[in-house]
Amino acid sequence: MTSIAFIGLGIMGSPMAVHLQQAGHDVVGYNLHPDKTQPLVDAGGRAAGSVAEAVEDVDVVAVMVPDSPDVQDVLTGEGGVFDSAKPGTLVIDFSSIRPDVTAELAKTAKEKGFRLLDAPVSGGEAGAKNAALSIMVGGDGADFEEAKPLFDGVGKTVVHVGGNGAGQTVKAANQLIVAANIQALAEAVTFLDAYDVDLEAALDVLGGGLAGSKVLDQKRGNMAKHDFTPGFRIDLHHKDMGIVTSAAREAGVVVPLGALVAQLMASARANGDGGLDHSALLRGVERLSGRLAG
């Protein structure tokens, strides 16, 4: 059994923390909105009233918060992890943030006697609920091996991809591919609808050929039913596309499709769709095509 503080119990963090508790670990959770700790408590875990209270005397601190400033605040802020956890604690950041910020945080962690792994995840709410996430891990190899049983408790595909920051770099590439696939699927759905094709039949046959993808499998229902209940919000994917385009520019890499999709994601957000699932890129295509209803 490992004692774990889990900071950030949102759409992704809550089921992940519950899985770790159910696997036999001792999990204490903290969230800015205290009601979000209830699923963990119902599973046998505990709730803390602050980051400092949560991380005191645990073996591992897991973090799952929205953006780079949030991770920085949790780790380096007053009463944060680096102020309150015992030296030697392993910190696993499941958040998706800028690779350069991760590298700097890892350096600070080492200076203060902590160990940091960046371990962003892919798979959305369904992957978190089913413990089937894909986890790309950056950091020390020995730390990765120590944390592997915890990763296996929440994920299905777990790969050590390099040093600190490598996990975040791979996640940025993941988000580029996912966004481009969602946009392409949205355009295909709008195109098919314009010709009154049986959408379900069309998606069945497309899914069985080279056009098939996990994005098609997981997002076709959202688009067919226009049900954009968030599994992964456009707001967060907008943030991730900013990471992609910024990091690509720093590396001198051209990502023309990525830049276009980043703008379409920004447009969706500007039009009030930021709180919807990223499959709501369909609404952007419909909006541009004069086919958006309601």
Side-chain angles (χ1 to χ4, degrees):
M1 180 182 72
T2 301
S3 59
I4 305 166
F6 207 110
I7 312 300
L9 300 172
I11 289 175
M12 302 290 287
S14 179
M16 292 170 70
V18 167
H19 282 309
L20 290 170
Q21 178 66 36
Q22 291 174 337
H25 302 294
D26 177 23
V27 184
V28 54
Y30 170 75
N31 196 79
L32 283 174
H33 302 287
D35 60 301
K36 299 292 187 182
T37 62
Q38 194 59 48
L40 174 61
V41 172
D42 290 343
R46 295 173 290 121
S50 67
V51 171
E53 180 186 343
V55 305
E56 183 182 13
D57 203 33
V58 296
D59 303 314
V60 175
V61 174
V63 181
M64 177 57 105
V65 293
D67 204 352
S68 301
D70 303 301
V71 176
Q72 290 171 312
D73 184 53
V74 166
L75 296 187
T76 67
E78 184 177 353
V81 175
F82 293 165
D83 273 357
S84 309
K86 62 186 179 184
T89 298
L90 177 61
V91 180
I92 303 173
D93 182 20
F94 288 112
S95 317
S96 296
I97 67 172
R98 288 166 39 192
D100 60 322
V101 171
T102 284
E104 189 61 33
L105 286 171
K107 180 180 177 182
T108 302
K110 187 174 182 179
E111 291 171 351
K112 292 182 175 292
F114 297 97
R115 300 168 292 147
L116 178 66
L117 293 173
D118 49 296
V121 305
S122 179
E125 183 181 14
K129 286 184 173 180
N130 296 321
L133 294 167
S134 178
I135 309 175
M136 43 227 85
V137 187
D140 180 77
D143 292 338
F144 170 76
E145 291 300 328
E146 180 181 332
K148 185 67 162 52
L150 304 183
F151 293 140
D152 289 339
V154 297
K156 186 176 181 180
T157 303
V158 180
V159 181
H160 183 223
V161 294
N164 286 115
Q168 299 296 351
T169 302
V170 175
K171 178 59 186 293
N174 179 88
Q175 296 304 81
L176 167 59
I177 294 169
V178 171
N181 273 269
I182 291 176
Q183 178 65 26
L185 178 60
E187 293 180 15
V189 167
T190 305
F191 172 72
L192 291 166
D193 277 343
Y195 279 93
D196 294 323
V197 172
D198 182 328
L199 183 59
E200 291 293 344
L203 293 176
D204 283 343
V205 70
L206 291 174
L210 193 57
S213 69
K214 289 186 178 180
V215 164
L216 192 157
D217 293 342
Q218 293 185 23
K219 299 301 179 181
R220 58 179 289 175
N222 300 64
M223 294 189 185
K225 298 174 185 175
H226 279 71
D227 178 3
F228 303 118
T229 303
F232 188 78
R233 291 181 286 116
I234 279 175
D235 278 339
L236 292 175
H237 213 143
H238 168 73
K239 176 262 297 183
D240 290 344
M241 293 309 295
I243 292 173
V244 170
T245 53
S246 175
R249 181 172 182 174
E250 290 174 10
V253 174
V254 176
V255 287
L257 181 57
L260 175 58
V261 177
Q263 290 298 307
L264 293 169
M265 200 76 71
S267 174
R269 189 168 179 263
N271 277 282
D273 292 344
L276 302 180
D277 186 76
H278 50 179
S279 56
L281 282 180
L282 175 67
R283 287 171 50 84
V285 180
E286 293 175 336
R287 189 179 290 115
L288 289 170
S289 302
R291 301 177 64 87
L292 181 63

